[in-house]
Amino acid sequence: MDLYILYTYCGINELRRIQDERDVFPFAFEKTKAMLDYDPDVCIDITALVYLLQTYKHNIVAVQANLQEMTENTVVIVDEILAESALKFLPFLFYECKEYYEKTDKGEEAEVSGVFDTCHCFRRPIYKYNSFSDLDEIIRYTTTNNIPVSTFASANGELRGEFEQFNKSEKIALLDLTSLSYAVEDNKNYIYFLELFLTSFPNISIIAQTSQVDVLLKYFPLFFEGQEPIHKLLPELSNIGEETEINQVTKVTSLSGNRFASFIEDFNHNLIGHEYFKKQMQHLLTNFISLNKVKEQKVFSIFLFGASGIGKTEVARLLANGLQEGSYLAKINFQNYSSQDAINSLIGSPAGYVGCNHGELSEKIQKSKVGVLLCDEFEKTTRPVFSFFLELLEEGHFTDSMAREYDMDGYVIVFTSNIRTEAEYKKTIPPELQTRFDLVCEFEEPKVVEKTLFLDLLLEKAQAKYPDQFSSIQMTENNKRKLYAFDYSGLSALRDIKRVFNNRLMDFFSENGIDF
């Protein structure tokens, strides 16, 4: 077999210049072999192939077989950052690399028969949308109008037949590449597989979230050029794809100076007991705000374990209320997440958009306006859910089954558990997840003096809530003793003490002739 020169190009601008001169085809195994058998005077880009070979080296022999009909007129190009790897993997095909524009003979544009029109990669725009609410509207519209929408995984799998039908017709089918754009940064093999898919489906329209369009343009320059709002493709969606106001979420990372000091003071005042935890949280939260600003830490995570009803859940409520009084707290009870398909309930089922269920996490994050998430009874969930949160705590974002991206940078996530001991915690929670928690603390049952302080707090809040009723009562120490005159020493759960107190308060109002 003869050896040839492998030509390199430097970045997207130089590749575009080559494409202006001649057709450039991606390498696609059997399709490339058929094309060379018919006419070897073509230009083939093997950039995605080299990414693939870095992981799947066993394909090298097949690559050689599919390029064996190369001639002196065949031009093979690769991004210069992969030139060394290409020579390493394919030494029986290429003996040296040379910059494309140093060639002495630039040649005329290659003419390839219309037989290969289906292999030609016409560059297309990416149609963009801004947010998950945009995507919801897109899905509603496409469902009503029988337009298939899918992620790459589904379209390349169980929905492939459906996409083949639409590809051969004049109807529209949409492929959302948002989730793939996140994956491709870590796994370059996806570049080859998507190129192969796009070669086979030239009539499929591509959509993606605006924030990820640049990634797709970077890694798939043979296929994509430019971006358009999606209403350019679907005019009925006139408000989708343009710049829109994004709902603001109040996060602890926005606090500083007196605002942060007041936030901590209110939190400490309203959480009775747990002094060690409060001291540690203030210290670590202060560091988190600084680390988040320099992009060293994306999420602050707290894991609390101990008996039920002693203040673990209250931590998340107080954090949320401190950020925005009366705010909705995103809460998920993992007692309901013990089945094998728990991850589907969390972020939605992965079977494509048609009939796809929304995930509870996605919906509650969307509804909340504060950067706090409560994961209650977390020990009762499954291994896949543990793995999901392992990644979330590391990356600071997640993608649901409908390819919607949720940015949780700056969030505080509070995990609570009814695990009673540290030994049980280490046995139940995977070791790799344990190392991701920023603060782990056991909550102990309140002492009698702390229960009395809790009653004082309940009375303080009641006076603020019922000012008219209390205005006609002088809250003397004697009245206070009457209100507290029940045996709360044997009640370990603060919620039980609160329930008894509320009933006694109503009786106290009735005894004093006070109506609501």
Side-chain angles (χ1 to χ4, degrees):
M1 181 181 292
D2 295 332
L3 297 180
Y4 301 97
I5 295 174
L6 176 62
Y7 295 100
T8 64
Y9 60 86
C10 178
I12 183 65
N13 290 333
E14 198 159 295
L15 175 61
R16 290 285 182 257
R17 184 179 170 191
I18 298 172
Q19 288 178 297
D20 288 342
E21 295 180 4
R22 62 190 307 157
D23 290 338
V24 178
F25 300 91
F27 179 89
F29 283 102
E30 294 179 1
K31 289 186 178 181
T32 295
K33 184 178 186 305
M35 184 166 57
L36 290 173
D37 286 342
Y38 186 86
D39 185 351
D41 188 10
V42 293
C43 181
I44 302 169
D45 188 341
I46 64 169
T47 300
L49 171 66
V50 177
Y51 279 126
L52 181 73
L53 294 179
Q54 288 178 340
T55 303
Y56 300 108
K57 296 182 178 62
H58 62 272
N59 284 315
I60 290 175
V61 174
V63 172
Q64 293 176 179
N66 281 272
L67 290 176
Q68 64 182 353
E69 298 303 321
M70 287 172 53
T71 70
E72 292 290 339
N73 292 326
T74 306
V75 176
V76 180
I77 61 175
V78 70
D79 192 310
E80 65 178 9
I81 64 174
L82 295 173
E84 185 176 338
S85 295
L87 289 181
K88 174 184 174 183
F89 294 141
L90 304 170
F92 300 107
L93 292 175
F94 307 107
Y95 68 91
E96 72 169 327
C97 289
K98 183 179 294 186
E99 293 180 16
Y100 184 90
Y101 284 106
E102 284 187 357
K103 294 192 283 107
T104 55
D105 178 16
K106 296 184 180 180
E108 299 296 328
E109 182 176 343
E111 295 289 341
V112 181
S113 168
V115 167
F116 300 106
D117 284 348
T118 57
C119 184
H120 188 78
C121 44
F122 296 101
R123 298 198 298 277
R124 65 193 87 173
I126 297 172
Y127 295 98
K128 63 183 180 179
Y129 60 88
N130 290 318
S131 64
F132 48 76
S133 58
D134 283 354
L135 184 56
D136 279 341
E137 189 168 341
I138 293 168
I139 293 168
R140 282 194 293 269
Y141 174 82
T142 54
T143 299
T144 301
N145 292 275
N146 195 31
I147 299 173
V149 186
S150 180
T151 60
F152 174 65
S154 296
N156 202 31
E158 60 190 55
L159 299 182
R160 189 178 181 93
E162 182 178 353
F163 268 66
E164 286 175 348
Q165 295 178 14
F166 278 84
N167 187 57
K168 295 175 183 177
S169 70
E170 295 182 357
K171 296 182 178 180
I172 295 174
L174 305 181
L175 182 64
D176 191 332
L177 295 182
T178 303
S179 56
L180 181 135
S181 69
Y182 287 103
V184 76
E185 294 279 8
D186 297 322
N187 189 344
K188 301 299 191 297
N189 297 329
Y190 286 124
I191 299 174
Y192 174 78
F193 294 122
L194 181 61
E195 281 194 354
L196 188 62
F197 181 90
L198 294 173
T199 299
S200 301
F201 295 91
N203 296 326
I204 303 299
S205 298
I206 305 302
I207 66 174
Q209 193 170 6
T210 301
S211 61
Q212 295 305 112
V213 168
D214 286 344
V215 175
L216 296 171
L217 292 175
K218 171 184 175 182
Y219 285 110
F220 303 97
L222 288 177
F223 294 87
F224 304 136
E225 185 173 35
Q227 53 187 293
E228 296 283 355
I230 197 166
H231 66 73
K232 296 290 186 181
L233 176 67
L234 304 173
E236 294 83 355
L237 301 176
S238 57
N239 296 323
I240 302 296
E242 300 289 5
E243 294 301 320
T244 57
E245 182 179 351
I246 300 174
N247 290 330
Q248 294 296 316
V249 175
T250 305
K251 304 174 186 178
V252 70
T253 49
S254 66
L255 305 181
S256 61
N258 293 335
R259 177 72 175 88
F260 180 72
S262 178
F263 172 83
I264 291 296
E265 182 180 357
D266 289 344
F267 179 89
N268 290 342
H269 174 72
N270 286 286
L271 184 68
I272 300 300
H274 313 299
E275 298 303 322
Y276 173 79
F277 165 75
K278 290 190 286 191
K279 182 178 180 181
Q280 289 296 108
M281 192 196 76
Q282 179 177 350
H283 170 68
L284 293 173
L285 207 53
T286 301
N287 288 346
F288 168 63
I289 293 173
S290 299
L291 290 169
N292 183 263
K293 288 180 180 178
V294 295
K295 303 186 184 305
E296 285 293 333
Q297 186 179 350
K298 297 184 177 180
V299 174
F300 183 74
S301 56
I302 302 171
F303 191 99
L304 304 175
F305 64 94
S308 178
I310 58 175
K312 303 188 300 295
T313 301
E314 188 67 10
V315 168
R317 292 197 183 102
L318 291 175
L319 289 172
N321 198 61
L323 292 173
Q324 189 177 110
E325 188 173 358
S327 61
Y328 170 81
L329 170 64
K331 173 186 176 181
I332 297 179
N333 191 326
F334 283 89
Q335 184 179 14
N336 305 320
Y337 282 77
S338 58
S339 64
Q340 290 304 309
D341 63 346
I343 191 67
N344 295 343
S345 300
L346 190 66
I347 62 172
S349 58
Y353 291 146
V354 179
C356 181
N357 294 322
H358 291 240
E360 184 180 8
L361 177 59
S362 310
E363 292 180 344
K364 291 191 172 180
I365 287 294
Q366 177 182 351
K367 185 177 179 180
S368 177
K369 301 304 179 187
V370 292
V372 180
L373 170 66
L374 171 60
C375 299
D376 213 10
E377 299 190 70
F378 188 64
E379 81 281 4
K380 295 180 179 178
T381 192
T382 61
R383 189 79 186 191
V385 174
F386 286 148
S387 298
F388 169 82
F389 277 97
L390 178 68
E391 184 174 352
L392 174 58
L393 295 181
E394 179 68 24
E395 301 296 332
H397 62 77
F398 72 94
T399 303
D400 69 10
S401 64
M402 301 174 78
R404 299 180 301 189
E405 168 71 13
Y406 294 82
D407 183 9
M408 297 187 68
D409 186 41
Y411 268 67
V412 177
I413 303 181
V414 180
F415 300 87
T416 69
S417 169
N418 291 331
I419 290 172
R420 302 298 289 266
T421 65
E422 184 177 354
E424 191 179 356
Y425 161 75
K426 291 184 176 180
K427 179 181 178 181
T428 304
I429 305 300
E432 61 273 19
L433 185 55
Q434 294 176 27
T435 63
R436 289 293 192 273
F437 297 134
D438 300 303
L439 175 56
V440 178
C441 192
E442 177 183 359
F443 267 29
E444 298 178 347
E445 294 181 5
K447 301 177 178 64
V448 174
V449 65
E450 292 172 337
K451 294 176 184 178
T452 304
L453 290 173
F454 182 62
L455 287 172
D456 290 340
L457 179 65
L458 291 176
L459 179 58
E460 175 189 316
K461 291 185 175 181
Q463 289 173 318
K465 186 174 183 179
Y466 309 118
D468 293 339
Q469 286 74 19
F470 276 100
S471 65
S472 59
I473 299 177
Q474 186 176 4
M475 205 62 198
T476 63
E477 284 298 321
N478 185 49
N479 280 335
K480 185 175 177 182
R481 282 195 299 271
K482 288 180 181 180
L483 192 58
Y484 293 4
F486 65 97
D487 185 12
Y488 52 82
S489 62
L491 298 177
S492 58
L494 294 179
R495 69 164 65 98
D496 292 337
I497 296 176
K498 181 178 180 180
R499 182 173 59 253
V500 175
F501 173 85
N502 286 336
N503 283 316
R504 290 186 64 82
L505 180 62
M506 295 302 107
D507 292 340
F508 179 77
F509 286 147
S510 296
E511 291 168 1
N512 286 274
I514 298 173
D515 297 323
F516 282 84

